[in-house]
């Protein structure tokens, strides 16, 4: 009878969902997207039309009254924050030698990222373009006071 | 005729700065300098021999073939990982001393000798052998095209120059490192091998290919001219696609 030797090369202990792979993919996808998002943002704010002089409260209020720019800014906020935080995480992984220091730095990083994303999202969606009692000349043209 | 040719070989005055460490005496490594006279045809390995044989017999380093085949004498020469036996002295900048250190990221045992076991362990972990279930009566045939697919990565001599030039490996000794990935690549893309999935799975790890930041230090360091970073990228692609 042939001796059956069990395969000595079974993969090592299985890990759970592999975040490194998705992290890597996310960086490749969000990078190019951010280039388009950020540069369109810059050009539309600073170059076209009246250029940089046009920027005031009314300009921002006008933009955020438009769902298109709401979604645009939201995408920019989320992608940039997660992309940047993940990059910082890699640097921390490289340089923090003590496990506790590394863990705490990474926890702080994600906490700050979460907080900023939350605040930013809140502002984009709850922004009031016509706050009561504001000076009329600062408000966008579509406000009822005009 | 022969005499004339030999007479033309230039002779060079060189200063070697060697990072020395004797675990029985020193608490940390120190630089020691040696002034020697070498020929223009000599390599760094010859200079090390000259020091060991004529000046200080306690100088410790690995070498075996002395012709770039065995991969035992990878070291950091003027800040770059090279094989001492493939580095001609006259090609280095001789206006300053030649700095020779052990390769980085592995524990130094003595002088230029490091503990290679972590490096070999990563190599072992990727199953560096043919995995095939068929029992052929004769050799397994392969077309020249299929053979060419992984030709580059068959050239590895396991010198560790790539892995110990990698900044990710310096700070994270758990990282498989370029050499292990190169040798996995050699089997993953071999049409006769059936273990690609197992190896891709092993390298799809927290400490696997995703740690690579495409710094290209490994490609630059490889004395065999293997396109290491490209091989790593191909393994990444294979993992994303789910097959080689
Ligand atoms: S890939 Fe090149 S540098 Fe790396 S171990 Fe093999 S021969 Fe040495
Ligand atoms: S001594 Fe064998 S490669 Fe240099």
């Amino acid at each position: 009878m042939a001796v059956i030797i069990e395969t000595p090369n079974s993969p090592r202990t299985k890990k759970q969902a592999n975040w490194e792979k998705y992290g890597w993919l996310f960086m490749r996808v969000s990078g190019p997207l951010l280039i388009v998002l950020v540069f369109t943002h810059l050009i539309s704010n600073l170059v076209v039309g009246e250029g940089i002089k046009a920027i005031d409260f009314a300009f921002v209020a006008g933009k955020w009254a438009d769902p298109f720019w709401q979604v645009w800014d939201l995408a920019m906020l989320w992608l940039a924050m997660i992309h940047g935080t993940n990059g910082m995480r890699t640097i921390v992984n490289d340089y923090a030698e003590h496990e506790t220091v590394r863990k705490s730095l990474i926890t702080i990083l994600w906490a700050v990222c979460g907080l900023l994303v939350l605040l930013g999202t809140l502002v984009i969606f709850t922004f009031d373009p016509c706050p009561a009692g504001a000076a009329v000349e600062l408000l966008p043209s579509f406000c009822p006071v005009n | 005729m022969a005499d004339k040719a030999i007479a033309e070989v230039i002779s060079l005055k060189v200063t070697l700065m060697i990072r020395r460490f004797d675990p029985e005496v020193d608490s940390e490594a120190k630089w020691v300098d040696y002034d020697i006279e070498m020929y223009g045809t000599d390599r760094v390995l010859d200079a090390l021999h000259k020091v060991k044989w004529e000046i200080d017999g306690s100088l410790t380093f690995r070498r075996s073939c002395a012709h770039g085949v065995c991969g035992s004498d990878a070291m950091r020469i003027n800040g770059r990982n090279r094989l001492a036996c493939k580095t001609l002295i006259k090609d280095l900048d001789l206006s300053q001393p030649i700095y020779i250190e052990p390769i980085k990221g592995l524990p130094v045992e003595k002088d230029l000798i490091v503990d290679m076991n972590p490096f070999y362990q990563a190599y072992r972990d990727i199953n560096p052998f043919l995995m095939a279930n068929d029992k052929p009566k004769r050799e397994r045939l392969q077309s020249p095209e299929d053979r060419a697919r992984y030709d580059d990565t068959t050239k590895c001599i396991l010198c560790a120059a790539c892995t110990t030039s990698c900044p990710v490996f310096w700070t994270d000794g758990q990282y498989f490192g370029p050499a292990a990935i190169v040798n996995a690549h050699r089997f993953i893309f071999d049409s006769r091998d059936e273990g690609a999935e197992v190896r891709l799975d092993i390298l799809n790890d927290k400490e696997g290919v995703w740690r690579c930041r495409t710094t290209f230090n490994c490609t630059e360091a490889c004395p065999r001219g293997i396109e290491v970073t490209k091989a790593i990228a191909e393994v990444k692609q294979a993992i994303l696609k789910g097959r080689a």
Side-chain angles (χ1 to χ4, degrees):
Chain A
M1 207 187 91
V3 183
I4 296 173
I5 303 169
E6 272 197 78
T7 155
N9 41 39
S10 49
R12 12 161 111 179
T13 44
K14 246 345 268 171
K15 54 260 160 178
Q16 328 81 344
N18 188 0
W19 288 100
E20 289 300 325
K21 173 171 150 189
Y22 298 110
W24 186 89
L25 258 181
F26 174 81
M27 296 304 264
R28 316 288 124 168
V29 174
S30 59
L33 267 177
L34 274 169
I35 292 179
V36 175
L37 287 168
V38 170
F39 279 98
T40 313
H41 169 85
L42 287 177
I43 290 167
S44 81
N45 279 15
L46 307 179
V47 181
V48 295
E50 278 176 71
I52 196 161
K53 287 183 216 71
I55 295 188
D56 54 10
F57 181 84
F59 181 87
V60 178
K63 262 187 110 181
W64 277 348
D66 183 346
F68 175 81
W69 287 114
Q70 274 188 332
V71 172
W72 191 281
D73 284 6
L74 190 78
M76 217 162 46
L77 171 76
W78 280 67
L79 290 179
M81 285 309 299
I82 300 175
H83 188 101
T85 308
N86 196 33
M88 286 298 292
R89 180 188 68 102
T90 318
I91 296 174
V92 168
N93 277 340
D94 273 4
Y95 290 101
E97 292 190 7
H98 295 285
E99 191 55 18
T100 32
V101 177
R102 199 182 68 84
K103 281 237 166 76
S104 5
L105 282 176
I106 287 177
T107 316
I108 294 171
L109 267 178
W110 286 118
V112 171
C113 170
L115 190 73
L116 288 177
V117 164
L118 203 76
L119 282 178
T121 311
L122 208 68
V123 168
I124 293 176
F125 286 115
T126 60
F127 184 75
D128 182 0
C130 312
V136 177
E137 69 276 12
L138 295 181
L139 294 178
S141 54
F142 53 76
C143 285
V145 279
N146 285 342
Chain B
M1 263 300 274
D3 284 352
K4 191 167 173 269
I6 290 169
E8 273 169 8
V9 172
I10 46 164
S11 97
L12 309 159
K13 273 204 175 318
V14 292
T15 307
L16 295 188
M17 289 285 269
I18 305 180
R19 192 90 173 140
R20 306 259 342 234
F21 173 69
D22 180 351
E24 284 173 6
V25 186
D26 304 326
S27 55
E28 57 184 79
K30 55 180 188 292
W31 290 102
V32 181
D33 59 311
Y34 302 90
D35 290 316
I36 45 175
E37 181 121 10
M38 302 299 300
Y39 291 115
T41 48
D42 282 334
R43 304 152 302 163
V44 172
L45 183 66
D46 299 308
L48 289 173
H49 279 150
K50 198 166 175 109
V51 172
K52 185 173 175 73
W53 294 339
E54 294 173 19
I55 303 176
D56 183 350
S58 71
L59 177 67
T60 313
F61 54 91
R62 284 193 186 102
R63 70 98 174 79
S64 180
C65 68
H67 290 87
V69 181
C70 69
S72 17
D73 62 344
M75 51 190 74
R76 215 165 132 88
I77 299 170
N78 283 350
R80 295 176 62 178
N81 283 0
R82 303 151 174 269
L83 295 179
C85 63
K86 278 185 86 173
T87 309
L88 279 175
I89 291 178
K90 70 175 174 59
D91 292 345
L92 299 170
D93 175 7
L94 294 179
S95 62
Q96 52 179 27
I98 302 171
Y99 290 86
I100 304 175
E101 307 163 66
I103 41 179
K104 269 172 70 146
L106 292 166
V108 176
E109 293 192 325
K110 189 178 178 190
D111 293 345
L112 301 175
I113 292 192
V114 297
D115 176 6
M116 297 281 280
N117 280 326
F119 173 78
Y120 293 138
Q121 190 55 52
Y123 173 62
R124 270 186 212 118
D125 285 345
I126 53 96
N127 298 331
F129 40 78
L130 187 87
M131 293 160 81
N133 289 317
D134 57 340
K135 306 237 171 354
K137 298 251 162 18
R138 49 196 294 255
E139 74 270 33
R140 297 180 172 85
L141 294 179
Q142 185 171 47
S143 71
E145 295 74 43
D146 283 347
R147 176 61 177 71
R149 179 67 192 87
Y150 61 94
D151 183 64
D152 202 31
T153 43
T154 60
K155 297 186 288 191
C156 177
I157 54 173
L158 288 174
C159 66
C162 55
T163 296
T164 57
S165 74
C166 174
V168 178
F169 183 78
W170 292 339
T171 47
D172 175 11
Q174 297 295 304
Y175 173 41
F176 274 87
I181 302 173
V182 158
N183 286 281
H185 179 285
R186 183 250 170 272
F187 288 101
I188 290 170
F189 294 96
D190 184 339
S191 59
R192 299 164 298 180
D193 185 87
E194 292 160 16
E197 246 155 86
V198 178
R199 296 195 186 86
L200 291 178
D201 195 48
I202 292 169
L203 290 175
N204 184 12
D205 183 269
K206 186 157 138 307
E207 305 294 350
V209 285
W210 310 116
R211 270 269 184 271
C212 166
R213 216 100 35 70
T214 45
T215 314
F216 280 95
N217 276 20
C218 48
T219 303
E220 214 168 285
C222 181
R224 308 294 316 237
I226 299 173
E227 292 181 283
V228 183
T229 313
K230 185 174 166 214
I232 299 176
E234 286 174 358
V235 174
K236 283 177 187 163
Q237 290 299 322
I239 293 178
L240 288 180
K241 291 201 196 96
R243 244 225 78 89

